[in-house]
């Protein structure tokens, strides 16, 4: 499965929050939240979801937590699992995606795609200075992603 996205830039920097991003949705037990923005973070080891989105879907919090580390500190985060859909037409569907549930004071995004997904696929970016665009391409075989260990 593959997605291709073009993003506007200013001097080579993506305009929206200076991050590569794509449309996405999440689904659990037949409920779906669409129209989300997923940020691609190659420096993050895990995927994250805003607590507000997790609550809207009624996602169950697992009995274990996962450590989240940043440059300045680390903390434990709640964990949940749901289906992640990436792209305008659900181009990539990843069932049983593990997410750390993030509170608003620690997380300003809706979704963050980390290396636990990026590392199983191929992420390519290319900057076109004449058009002030960055092309993001991501290709993955969902069957290679192991089931989450909870």
């Amino acid at each position: 499965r593959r997605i291709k996205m073009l993003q506007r830039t200013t001097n080579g920097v993506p305009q929206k929050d200076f991050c590569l991003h794509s449309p996405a949705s999440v689904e659990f037990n037949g409920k779906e939240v669409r129209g989300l923005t997923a940020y691609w973070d190659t420096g993050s080891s895990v995927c994250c979801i805003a607590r507000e989105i997790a609550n809207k879907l009624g996602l169950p919090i697992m009995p274990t937590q996962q450590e989240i580390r940043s440059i300045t500190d680390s903390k434990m985060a709640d964990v949940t699992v749901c289906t992640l859909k990436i792209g305008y037409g659900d181009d990539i569907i990843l069932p049983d995606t593990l997410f750390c549930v993030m509170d608003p004071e620690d997380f300003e995004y809706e979704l963050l795609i980390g290396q636990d997904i990026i590392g199983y696929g191929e992420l390519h970016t290319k900057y076109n200075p004449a058009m002030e665009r960055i092309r993001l391409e991501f290709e993955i075989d969902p069957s290679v992603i192991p089931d989450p260990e909870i």
Side-chain angles (χ1 to χ4, degrees), residues 52-128:
E52 177 185 351
I53 306 295
N55 290 343
K56 196 180 287 189
L57 267 180
L59 295 177
I61 301 300
M62 302 300 153
T64 59
Q65 289 192 315
Q66 183 156 340
E67 184 179 22
I68 300 288
R69 285 177 285 207
S70 70
I71 294 172
T72 57
D73 67 348
S74 69
K75 67 186 312 182
M76 299 304 287
D78 290 333
V79 174
T80 192
V81 173
C82 65
T83 298
L84 170 64
K85 298 178 178 183
I86 307 169
Y88 288 112
D90 302 333
D91 301 309
I92 297 175
I93 300 174
L94 304 173
D96 300 324
T97 301
L98 183 80
F99 285 95
C100 287
V101 180
M102 303 300 291
D103 293 310
E105 62 270 13
D106 299 319
F107 190 68
E108 57 192 73
Y109 308 112
E110 296 171 320
L111 296 173
L112 186 140
I113 299 173
Q115 282 294 344
D116 52 345
I117 296 296
I118 296 170
Y120 285 103
E122 290 188 35
L123 176 66
H124 301 278
T125 60
K126 183 174 183 174
Y127 174 55
N128 181 333

Coordinates of all heavy atoms in Angstrom, one line a residue, residues 52-128:
E52 N -8.3 13.4 23.6 CA -9.6 13.9 23.1 C -10.1 12.9 22.0 O -11.3 12.6 22.0 CB -9.5 15.3 22.6 CG -10.8 15.8 22.1 CD -10.7 17.2 21.5 OE1 -9.7 17.9 21.7 OE2 -11.7 17.6 20.8
I53 N -9.2 12.6 21.1 CA -9.6 11.7 20.0 C -9.9 10.3 20.5 O -10.9 9.6 20.2 CB -8.5 11.6 18.9 CG1 -8.2 13.0 18.4 CG2 -8.9 10.7 17.8 CD1 -9.3 13.7 17.7
A54 N -9.0 9.8 21.4 CA -9.2 8.5 22.0 C -10.5 8.4 22.8 O -11.3 7.4 22.7 CB -8.0 8.2 23.0
N55 N -10.9 9.5 23.5 CA -12.1 9.5 24.3 C -13.3 9.5 23.3 O -14.3 8.9 23.6 CB -12.2 10.7 25.2 CG -11.2 10.6 26.4 OD1 -10.7 9.5 26.7 ND2 -10.9 11.7 27.0
K56 N -13.2 10.3 22.2 CA -14.3 10.4 21.3 C -14.6 9.0 20.7 O -15.8 8.7 20.4 CB -13.9 11.4 20.2 CG -15.0 11.9 19.3 CD -14.6 12.8 18.2 CE -14.2 14.2 18.8 NZ -13.9 15.2 17.7
L57 N -13.6 8.2 20.5 CA -13.8 6.9 19.9 C -14.1 5.8 21.0 O -14.5 4.7 20.7 CB -12.5 6.4 19.2 CG -12.4 6.6 17.8 CD1 -11.0 6.1 17.3 CD2 -13.5 6.1 17.0
G58 N -14.0 6.2 22.3 CA -14.2 5.2 23.3 C -13.1 4.2 23.4 O -13.4 3.0 23.7
L59 N -11.9 4.6 23.1 CA -10.8 3.6 23.1 C -10.5 3.1 24.5 O -10.4 3.9 25.4 CB -9.5 4.2 22.5 CG -9.6 4.6 21.0 CD1 -8.3 5.2 20.5 CD2 -9.9 3.4 20.1
P60 N -10.3 1.8 24.6 CA -10.0 1.3 26.0 C -8.5 1.6 26.3 O -7.6 1.5 25.4 CB -10.2 -0.2 25.8 CG -10.0 -0.5 24.4 CD -10.5 0.7 23.7
I61 N -8.2 1.9 27.5 CA -6.8 2.1 27.9 C -6.3 0.8 28.4 O -7.0 0.1 29.3 CB -6.8 3.2 29.1 CG1 -7.3 4.5 28.6 CG2 -5.3 3.3 29.6 CD1 -6.6 5.1 27.4
M62 N -5.2 0.4 28.0 CA -4.6 -0.9 28.3 C -4.0 -0.9 29.8 O -3.7 0.2 30.2 CB -3.5 -1.3 27.3 CG -4.0 -1.4 25.9 SD -5.3 -2.6 25.8 CE -6.2 -2.0 24.4
P63 N -3.9 -2.0 30.4 CA -3.4 -2.0 31.8 C -1.9 -1.7 31.9 O -1.4 -1.4 33.0 CB -3.6 -3.4 32.2 CG -3.8 -4.3 31.0 CD -4.3 -3.3 29.9
T64 N -1.2 -1.6 30.8 CA 0.3 -1.2 30.8 C 0.5 0.2 30.3 O -0.4 0.7 29.6 CB 1.1 -2.2 29.9 OG1 0.6 -2.1 28.6 CG2 1.0 -3.6 30.4
Q65 N 1.6 0.8 30.7 CA 1.9 2.1 30.1 C 3.3 2.0 29.4 O 4.0 1.0 29.5 CB 2.1 3.1 31.3 CG 0.8 3.5 31.9 CD 0.9 4.7 32.8 OE1 1.9 4.8 33.6 NE2 0.0 5.6 32.7
Q66 N 3.6 3.0 28.6 CA 4.8 3.0 27.9 C 5.6 4.3 28.2 O 4.9 5.4 28.3 CB 4.5 2.9 26.4 CG 5.8 2.9 25.5 CD 5.6 2.2 24.2 OE1 4.6 1.5 24.0 NE2 6.5 2.5 23.3
E67 N 6.9 4.2 28.2 CA 7.7 5.4 28.5 C 7.8 6.3 27.2 O 8.0 5.8 26.1 CB 9.1 5.1 29.0 CG 9.9 6.3 29.3 CD 11.3 5.9 29.9 OE1 11.8 4.8 29.6 OE2 11.9 6.8 30.5
I68 N 7.6 7.6 27.3 CA 7.7 8.5 26.3 C 8.9 9.4 26.7 O 8.9 10.0 27.7 CB 6.5 9.4 26.1 CG1 5.2 8.6 25.8 CG2 6.7 10.5 25.0 CD1 5.2 8.0 24.4
R69 N 9.9 9.5 25.8 CA 11.0 10.4 26.0 C 11.1 11.5 25.1 O 10.9 11.4 23.9 CB 12.3 9.6 26.0 CG 12.5 8.7 27.2 CD 13.7 7.9 27.0 NE 13.4 6.8 26.0 CZ 13.9 5.7 25.9 NH1 14.9 5.4 26.7 NH2 13.5 4.8 25.0
S70 N 11.5 12.7 25.6 CA 11.8 13.8 24.7 C 13.2 14.3 25.0 O 13.9 13.7 25.8 CB 10.8 15.0 25.0 OG 11.0 15.5 26.3
I71 N 13.6 15.4 24.4 CA 15.0 15.9 24.7 C 15.1 16.3 26.1 O 16.2 16.1 26.7 CB 15.2 17.1 23.8 CG1 15.2 16.6 22.3 CG2 16.5 17.8 24.1 CD1 15.3 17.7 21.3
T72 N 14.1 16.8 26.8 CA 14.2 17.3 28.1 C 13.8 16.4 29.2 O 14.2 16.6 30.4 CB 13.4 18.6 28.2 OG1 12.1 18.4 27.9 CG2 14.0 19.7 27.3
D73 N 12.9 15.5 29.0 CA 12.4 14.6 30.1 C 11.8 13.3 29.5 O 11.8 13.1 28.3 CB 11.4 15.3 31.0 CG 10.1 15.6 30.2 OD1 10.0 15.5 29.0 OD2 9.1 16.0 30.9
S74 N 11.3 12.5 30.4 CA 10.5 11.3 30.1 C 9.4 11.2 31.0 O 9.4 11.7 32.1 CB 11.4 10.1 30.1 OG 11.8 9.8 31.4
K75 N 8.3 10.5 30.5 CA 7.1 10.2 31.4 C 6.5 9.0 30.9 O 6.7 8.5 29.8 CB 6.2 11.4 31.4 CG 5.6 11.7 30.0 CD 4.7 12.9 30.0 CE 3.8 13.1 31.1 NZ 2.9 14.2 31.1
M76 N 5.6 8.4 31.7 CA 4.8 7.2 31.3 C 3.5 7.7 30.7 O 2.9 8.7 31.1 CB 4.5 6.4 32.5 CG 5.8 5.8 33.2 SD 6.9 4.9 32.1 CE 6.0 3.4 31.9
A77 N 3.1 7.0 29.7 CA 1.8 7.3 29.0 C 0.9 6.1 28.9 O 1.4 5.0 28.8 CB 2.2 7.8 27.5
D78 N -0.4 6.4 28.9 CA -1.4 5.3 28.7 C -1.2 4.8 27.3 O -0.8 5.5 26.4 CB -2.8 5.9 28.9 CG -3.1 6.2 30.4 OD1 -2.5 5.6 31.3 OD2 -4.0 7.1 30.6
V79 N -1.7 3.6 27.1 CA -1.6 2.9 25.8 C -2.9 2.4 25.3 O -3.7 1.9 26.2 CB -0.6 1.7 25.9 CG1 -0.5 0.9 24.6 CG2 0.8 2.2 26.3
T80 N -3.2 2.5 24.0 CA -4.4 1.9 23.5 C -4.1 1.4 22.1 O -3.0 1.6 21.5 CB -5.5 3.0 23.4 OG1 -6.8 2.4 23.1 CG2 -5.2 4.1 22.3
V81 N -5.1 0.7 21.5 CA -4.9 0.1 20.2 C -6.2 0.3 19.4 O -7.3 0.2 19.9 CB -4.7 -1.5 20.3 CG1 -4.7 -2.1 18.9 CG2 -3.4 -1.8 21.0
C82 N -6.0 0.8 18.1 CA -7.1 0.9 17.2 C -6.6 0.8 15.8 O -5.4 0.7 15.5 CB -7.8 2.3 17.4 SG -6.9 3.7 17.1
T83 N -7.5 1.0 14.8 CA -7.1 0.9 13.4 C -6.7 2.3 12.9 O -7.5 3.3 13.2 CB -8.3 0.4 12.5 OG1 -8.6 -0.9 12.9 CG2 -7.9 0.4 11.0
L84 N -5.6 2.4 12.3 CA -5.1 3.7 11.7 C -5.3 3.6 10.2 O -4.9 2.7 9.6 CB -3.6 3.9 12.1 CG -2.9 5.1 11.4 CD1 -3.5 6.4 11.7 CD2 -1.4 5.0 11.7
K85 N -5.9 4.7 9.6 CA -6.0 4.8 8.2 C -5.3 6.0 7.7 O -5.6 7.1 8.3 CB -7.5 4.9 7.8 CG -8.3 3.6 8.2 CD -9.7 3.7 7.9 CE -10.5 2.5 8.2 NZ -11.9 2.6 7.8
I86 N -4.4 5.9 6.8 CA -3.6 7.0 6.3 C -3.9 7.3 4.9 O -4.0 6.4 4.0 CB -2.1 6.7 6.4 CG1 -1.8 6.3 7.9 CG2 -1.3 7.9 6.0 CD1 -0.4 5.7 8.0
G87 N -4.1 8.6 4.5 CA -4.4 9.0 3.2 C -5.8 9.5 3.0 O -6.7 9.4 3.9
Y88 N -6.1 10.1 1.8 CA -7.4 10.6 1.5 C -8.5 9.5 1.4 O -9.6 9.7 1.8 CB -7.4 11.5 0.3 CG -6.7 12.8 0.5 CD1 -5.5 13.0 -0.2 CD2 -7.2 13.8 1.3 CE1 -4.8 14.3 0.0 CE2 -6.6 15.0 1.5 CZ -5.4 15.2 0.9 OH -4.8 16.4 1.0
G89 N -8.1 8.5 0.7 CA -9.1 7.4 0.5 C -8.7 6.1 1.3 O -8.9 5.0 0.8
D90 N -8.2 6.3 2.5 CA -7.8 5.2 3.3 C -6.8 4.3 2.5 O -6.9 3.1 2.4 CB -9.0 4.3 3.8 CG -10.0 5.1 4.6 OD1 -9.6 6.1 5.2 OD2 -11.2 4.8 4.6
D91 N -5.8 5.0 1.9 CA -4.8 4.3 1.1 C -4.1 3.2 1.8 O -3.7 2.2 1.3 CB -3.8 5.3 0.5 CG -4.5 6.4 -0.3 OD1 -5.3 6.1 -1.2 OD2 -4.3 7.6 0.0
I92 N -3.8 3.5 3.1 CA -3.1 2.5 3.9 C -4.0 2.3 5.2 O -4.3 3.2 5.9 CB -1.7 3.1 4.4 CG1 -0.8 3.2 3.1 CG2 -1.1 2.1 5.4 CD1 0.5 3.9 3.4
I93 N -4.3 1.0 5.4 CA -5.1 0.7 6.6 C -4.2 -0.2 7.5 O -3.8 -1.3 7.0 CB -6.4 0.0 6.2 CG1 -7.2 0.9 5.3 CG2 -7.2 -0.5 7.4 CD1 -8.5 0.3 4.7
L94 N -4.0 0.2 8.7 CA -3.1 -0.6 9.7 C -4.0 -0.9 10.9 O -4.1 -0.1 11.8 CB -1.9 0.3 10.0 CG -1.0 0.8 8.9 CD1 0.0 1.7 9.4 CD2 -0.4 -0.4 8.2
P95 N -4.5 -2.1 10.9 CA -5.3 -2.6 12.1 C -4.4 -2.8 13.3 O -3.2 -3.0 13.1 CB -5.9 -3.9 11.6 CG -5.1 -4.4 10.5 CD -4.4 -3.2 9.9
D96 N -5.0 -2.7 14.5 CA -4.2 -3.0 15.7 C -3.0 -2.1 15.9 O -1.9 -2.7 16.2 CB -3.9 -4.5 15.8 CG -5.1 -5.3 15.8 OD1 -6.2 -4.9 16.4 OD2 -5.1 -6.4 15.2
T97 N -3.1 -0.8 15.6 CA -1.9 0.1 15.8 C -1.9 0.5 17.2 O -2.9 0.9 17.8 CB -2.1 1.3 14.9 OG1 -2.1 0.8 13.5 CG2 -0.9 2.2 15.0
L98 N -0.7 0.4 17.8 CA -0.5 0.8 19.2 C -0.2 2.3 19.3 O 0.6 2.8 18.5 CB 0.7 0.0 19.8 CG 1.0 0.3 21.2 CD1 0.1 -0.5 22.1 CD2 2.5 0.0 21.5
F99 N -1.0 3.0 20.1 CA -0.8 4.4 20.3 C -0.6 4.7 21.8 O -1.2 4.1 22.6 CB -2.1 5.2 19.9 CG -2.3 5.3 18.5 CD1 -3.1 4.4 17.8 CD2 -1.8 6.3 17.7 CE1 -3.4 4.5 16.5 CE2 -2.0 6.5 16.4 CZ -2.8 5.6 15.7
C100 N 0.3 5.7 22.0 CA 0.4 6.3 23.4 C -0.6 7.4 23.4 O -0.7 8.2 22.5 CB 1.8 6.8 23.6 SG 3.0 5.5 23.9
V101 N -1.4 7.4 24.5 CA -2.5 8.4 24.6 C -1.9 9.6 25.3 O -1.4 9.6 26.4 CB -3.7 7.9 25.4 CG1 -4.8 8.9 25.5 CG2 -4.2 6.6 24.8
M102 N -2.0 10.8 24.6 CA -1.3 12.0 25.1 C -2.3 13.1 25.6 O -3.3 13.3 24.9 CB -0.4 12.6 24.0 CG 0.7 11.6 23.5 SD 1.8 11.0 24.7 CE 2.7 12.5 25.1
D103 N -1.9 13.7 26.7 CA -2.8 14.8 27.2 C -2.4 16.1 26.5 O -1.3 16.3 26.1 CB -2.5 14.9 28.7 CG -3.1 13.7 29.5 OD1 -4.2 13.3 29.2 OD2 -2.3 13.1 30.3
P104 N -3.4 17.1 26.5 CA -3.2 18.3 25.8 C -2.0 19.1 26.2 O -1.3 19.8 25.4 CB -4.5 19.1 26.0 CG -5.4 18.2 26.7 CD -4.7 17.0 27.1
E105 N -1.6 19.1 27.5 CA -0.4 19.9 27.9 C 0.9 19.3 27.4 O 1.9 20.0 27.4 CB -0.4 20.0 29.5 CG -0.3 18.7 30.2 CD -1.6 18.0 30.6 OE1 -2.6 18.4 30.0 OE2 -1.6 17.1 31.3
D106 N 0.9 18.1 26.9 CA 2.1 17.4 26.4 C 2.1 17.2 24.9 O 3.1 16.7 24.4 CB 2.3 16.1 27.1 CG 2.5 16.2 28.6 OD1 3.1 17.2 29.1 OD2 1.9 15.4 29.3
F107 N 1.0 17.5 24.3 CA 0.8 17.0 22.9 C -0.1 18.0 22.2 O -1.3 18.1 22.5 CB 0.2 15.6 22.9 CG 0.2 14.9 21.6 CD1 1.4 14.5 21.0 CD2 -1.0 14.6 21.0 CE1 1.4 13.8 19.8 CE2 -1.0 13.9 19.8 CZ 0.2 13.5 19.2
E108 N 0.4 18.6 21.1 CA -0.5 19.6 20.4 C -1.0 19.1 19.1 O -1.6 19.9 18.3 CB 0.4 20.9 20.2 CG 1.6 20.6 19.4 CD 2.6 21.8 19.4 OE1 3.2 22.1 20.4 OE2 2.7 22.5 18.4
Y109 N -0.9 17.8 18.8 CA -1.3 17.3 17.6 C -2.5 16.3 17.8 O -2.9 16.0 18.9 CB -0.2 16.5 16.9 CG 1.1 17.2 16.8 CD1 2.2 16.9 17.6 CD2 1.2 18.3 16.0 CE1 3.4 17.6 17.4 CE2 2.3 19.0 15.8 CZ 3.4 18.7 16.6 OH 4.6 19.4 16.5
E110 N -3.1 15.9 16.7 CA -4.2 14.9 16.8 C -3.6 13.5 16.8 O -3.9 12.6 17.6 CB -5.2 15.0 15.6 CG -5.9 16.4 15.6 CD -6.7 16.6 14.4 OE1 -6.2 16.3 13.3 OE2 -7.8 17.2 14.5
L111 N -2.7 13.2 15.8 CA -2.0 12.0 15.7 C -0.6 12.2 15.3 O -0.3 13.2 14.6 CB -2.6 11.1 14.5 CG -4.1 10.7 14.6 CD1 -4.5 10.1 13.3 CD2 -4.2 9.7 15.7
L112 N 0.3 11.3 15.7 CA 1.7 11.3 15.4 C 2.1 9.9 15.0 O 1.8 9.0 15.6 CB 2.5 11.8 16.6 CG 4.0 12.0 16.3 CD1 4.4 13.2 17.1 CD2 4.8 10.8 16.7
I113 N 2.7 9.8 13.8 CA 3.2 8.5 13.3 C 4.7 8.5 13.6 O 5.4 9.3 13.1 CB 2.9 8.4 11.8 CG1 1.4 8.5 11.5 CG2 3.5 7.1 11.3 CD1 1.0 8.5 10.1
G114 N 5.0 7.5 14.4 CA 6.4 7.3 14.8 C 7.1 6.2 14.1 O 6.6 5.5 13.2
Q115 N 8.3 5.9 14.6 CA 9.2 4.9 13.9 C 8.6 3.5 14.1 O 9.0 2.6 13.3 CB 10.6 4.9 14.5 CG 11.4 6.0 14.0 CD 11.7 5.8 12.5 OE1 11.6 4.8 11.9 NE2 12.2 6.9 11.9
D116 N 7.7 3.3 15.0 CA 7.1 1.9 15.1 C 6.2 1.6 13.9 O 6.0 0.4 13.6 CB 6.2 1.8 16.4 CG 5.2 2.9 16.6 OD1 5.3 3.9 15.9 OD2 4.3 2.7 17.5
I117 N 5.8 2.6 13.1 CA 5.2 2.4 11.8 C 6.1 2.7 10.7 O 6.3 1.9 9.8 CB 3.9 3.2 11.7 CG1 2.9 2.8 12.7 CG2 3.3 3.1 10.3 CD1 2.3 1.4 12.6
I118 N 6.8 3.9 10.8 CA 7.7 4.3 9.7 C 8.8 3.3 9.4 O 9.1 3.0 8.3 CB 8.3 5.7 10.1 CG1 7.2 6.8 10.1 CG2 9.4 6.1 9.0 CD1 7.7 8.1 10.7
G119 N 9.3 2.7 10.5 CA 10.4 1.7 10.4 C 10.1 0.5 9.6 O 11.0 -0.2 9.1
Y120 N 8.8 0.1 9.5 CA 8.4 -1.1 8.7 C 8.1 -0.8 7.3 O 7.8 -1.7 6.5 CB 7.2 -1.7 9.4 CG 7.5 -2.4 10.6 CD1 7.2 -1.9 11.9 CD2 8.2 -3.7 10.6 CE1 7.6 -2.6 13.0 CE2 8.5 -4.3 11.7 CZ 8.2 -3.8 13.0 OH 8.5 -4.5 14.1
G121 N 8.1 0.5 6.9 CA 7.9 0.9 5.5 C 9.0 1.7 4.9 O 10.1 1.6 5.4
E122 N 8.7 2.3 3.8 CA 9.7 3.2 3.2 C 9.1 4.6 3.1 O 8.1 4.8 2.4 CB 10.1 2.7 1.8 CG 10.9 1.4 1.8 CD 11.3 1.0 0.4 OE1 11.6 1.9 -0.4 OE2 11.4 -0.2 0.1
L123 N 9.8 5.5 3.7 CA 9.4 6.9 3.7 C 10.4 7.7 2.9 O 11.6 7.7 3.1 CB 9.3 7.5 5.1 CG 9.0 9.0 5.3 CD1 7.6 9.3 4.8 CD2 9.2 9.5 6.7
H124 N 9.9 8.4 1.9 CA 10.8 9.2 1.0 C 10.2 10.6 0.9 O 9.0 10.8 0.8 CB 10.8 8.6 -0.4 CG 11.3 7.2 -0.5 ND1 12.6 6.9 -0.5 CD2 10.7 6.1 -0.5 CE1 12.8 5.6 -0.5 NE2 11.6 5.1 -0.5
T125 N 11.1 11.6 0.9 CA 10.7 13.0 0.7 C 11.6 13.6 -0.3 O 12.7 13.2 -0.5 CB 10.8 13.8 2.0 OG1 12.1 13.8 2.5 CG2 9.9 13.3 3.1
K126 N 11.0 14.5 -1.1 CA 11.8 15.2 -2.1 C 11.3 16.6 -2.2 O 10.1 16.9 -2.3 CB 11.7 14.5 -3.5 CG 12.5 15.1 -4.5 CD 12.5 14.4 -5.8 CE 13.4 15.1 -6.8 NZ 13.6 14.3 -8.0
Y127 N 12.2 17.6 -2.1 CA 11.9 19.0 -2.2 C 12.0 19.5 -3.6 O 13.0 19.2 -4.3 CB 12.8 19.8 -1.3 CG 12.7 21.3 -1.4 CD1 11.4 21.9 -1.2 CD2 13.8 22.1 -1.6 CE1 11.3 23.2 -1.2 CE2 13.6 23.5 -1.7 CZ 12.4 24.0 -1.5 OH 12.2 25.4 -1.6
N128 N 11.0 20.2 -4.1 CA 11.0 20.8 -5.4 C 11.0 22.4 -5.2 O 10.0 23.0 -4.9 CB 9.8 20.4 -6.2 CG 9.8 21.0 -7.6 OD1 10.3 22.1 -7.8 ND2 9.1 20.4 -8.5

